[in-house]
Amino acid sequence: MSDLLYVPVLPVRPHAVEAYRWLRPNDQQGVAPLWNLPPRPGAAAPALAAAMRKDLASVSRVQRHRAAWIDAPFADETQVPVLAEVLQEYSVLGTLQPVTGPDRSPLQQTASIVAATRSGWGLGVRVRVPGEWDSAAAEAVGSLLSRADPAIEVDLLLDMGGVLGNRPDAGKEALRALDALFPLTPWRSVSVLSGGFPHVTADMLDQGLRDEPRWDWAMWQEVAHSRRAYVPALTYGDYGTQPVEAITRISRPEQKGGPDWGFLRYTTEQTFVLAKVLHSGVDKTAFNRAAASEIVGLTDFRGPTAGAGESWLRDCARGDGNSGTFQKWLSVGNAQHFSYVAHTLRRG
């Protein structure tokens, strides 16, 4: 992963798969997602295996021959044997690399190491720092690494979790973690991941366009300008245009209904721009096209040639095609974000 540029943290959901597929081949270059299998509590082994194979097949198709990580952070002990079997199939056949971490069970760690050994593609070590850095985690990571064959290439995925305005010291905590973890082994890659997209409520969008700070990007800038010797080896990652907790949601296809509103997302250098749209009602189409027009009219709008996300917003604003659904708004928001971040990082 010498050309690694950007690590989006994504749920294995249709909207995220679509957003990644929308990226142009040159935009996908250097972009390696950390895919997260959704939680399936209480699923019986046959149904769980079938669902995991379906998920991994969808990711494998869209990844083609590009490397990525696959994680199942919500699998409980009864599900790990099923996970191990399915992961071995896909890690050997494709370029999906298993992920483990110091907070995982010994059984899950062993299954991930075995899958990485058989595939030869490498192993991701995801270290979560949702608050203050705990120095004991470095010892746990060292113990985990000691169990793996030294020939296995390992990637550090330092996951800072949600970074909003209530975590002003997140950058300092990230540096404390990196100071402890970087010397443990010759990591193939080291990525700093965080999520700065807010939890959006209806009242936030009552006054038209709303700007929300990109706190995660600000944290990354603090890390990147810290003058640590290892900074040139670091890679940026984020959770796209969804809150961090979105990957924890349990899919319930049997449930009907939901809110009658949603929102469009657009990423600028310092902010996420949000615009309310309607999911139903006689005014839906006109209302949504007006919202898209507001985004297209922004000084920071990059134009339809920037990517599929911008192209969809332009078409919606001028009356071409439909005005979207929840899944489409998510896909559009993430597609424009991935493309913009990749371009920003490529420019350096």
Side-chain angles (χ1 to χ4, degrees), residues 108-179:
Q108 194 277 344
Q109 292 175 349
T110 298
S112 299
I113 291 170
V114 169
T117 303
R118 291 182 177 178
S119 72
W121 288 110
L123 175 70
V125 179
R126 189 174 188 175
V127 181
R128 301 174 190 270
V129 185
E132 291 186 4
W133 165 248
D134 182 356
S135 58
E139 183 178 348
V141 172
S143 177
L144 169 61
L145 293 172
S146 70
R147 295 170 52 197
D149 187 326
I152 297 176
E153 294 185 292
V154 287
D155 304 299
L156 174 60
L157 302 163
L158 178 64
D159 190 348
M160 299 301 294
V163 175
L164 299 172
N166 60 352
R167 288 187 70 186
D169 294 330
K172 294 180 178 62
E173 296 304 323
L175 290 169
R176 289 180 62 200
L178 290 166
D179 289 345

Side-chain angles (χ1 to χ4, degrees), residues 13-25:
R13 307 278 194 193
H15 70 80
V17 173
E18 181 178 49
Y20 180 79
R21 185 175 62 244
W22 277 359
L23 291 179
R24 296 164 178 159

Side-chain angles (χ1 to χ4, degrees), residues 49-212:
M52 285 183 173
R53 287 190 174 96
K54 182 178 178 181
D55 286 341
L56 289 171
S58 70
V59 170
S60 294
R61 283 193 298 270
V62 76
Q63 286 292 150
R64 295 186 289 274
H65 301 296
R66 298 189 185 279
W69 294 277
I70 188 76
D71 195 7
F74 313 109
D76 61 32
E77 282 299 274
T78 65
Q79 297 175 337
V80 169
V82 177
L83 170 67
E85 178 184 346
V86 176
L87 272 184
Q88 286 177 25
E89 294 174 15
Y90 278 87
S91 59
V92 170
L93 294 174
T95 56
L96 296 178
Q97 299 158 86
V99 174
T100 189
D103 57 342
R104 311 297 173 87
S105 70
L107 182 61
Q108 194 277 344
Q109 292 175 349
T110 298
S112 299
I113 291 170
V114 169
T117 303
R118 291 182 177 178
S119 72
W121 288 110
L123 175 70
V125 179
R126 189 174 188 175
V127 181
R128 301 174 190 270
V129 185
E132 291 186 4
W133 165 248
D134 182 356
S135 58
E139 183 178 348
V141 172
S143 177
L144 169 61
L145 293 172
S146 70
R147 295 170 52 197
D149 187 326
I152 297 176
E153 294 185 292
V154 287
D155 304 299
L156 174 60
L157 302 163
L158 178 64
D159 190 348
M160 299 301 294
V163 175
L164 299 172
N166 60 352
R167 288 187 70 186
D169 294 330
K172 294 180 178 62
E173 296 304 323
L175 290 169
R176 289 180 62 200
L178 290 166
D179 289 345
L181 296 171
F182 197 87
L184 291 180
T185 193
W187 302 100
R188 177 173 57 178
S189 70
V190 177
S191 303
V192 181
L193 320 174
S194 61
F197 198 82
H199 175 70
V200 180
T201 57
D203 62 292
M204 293 169 62
L205 305 176
D206 285 342
Q207 304 301 318
L209 295 183
R210 181 183 180 96
D211 290 351
E212 285 289 321

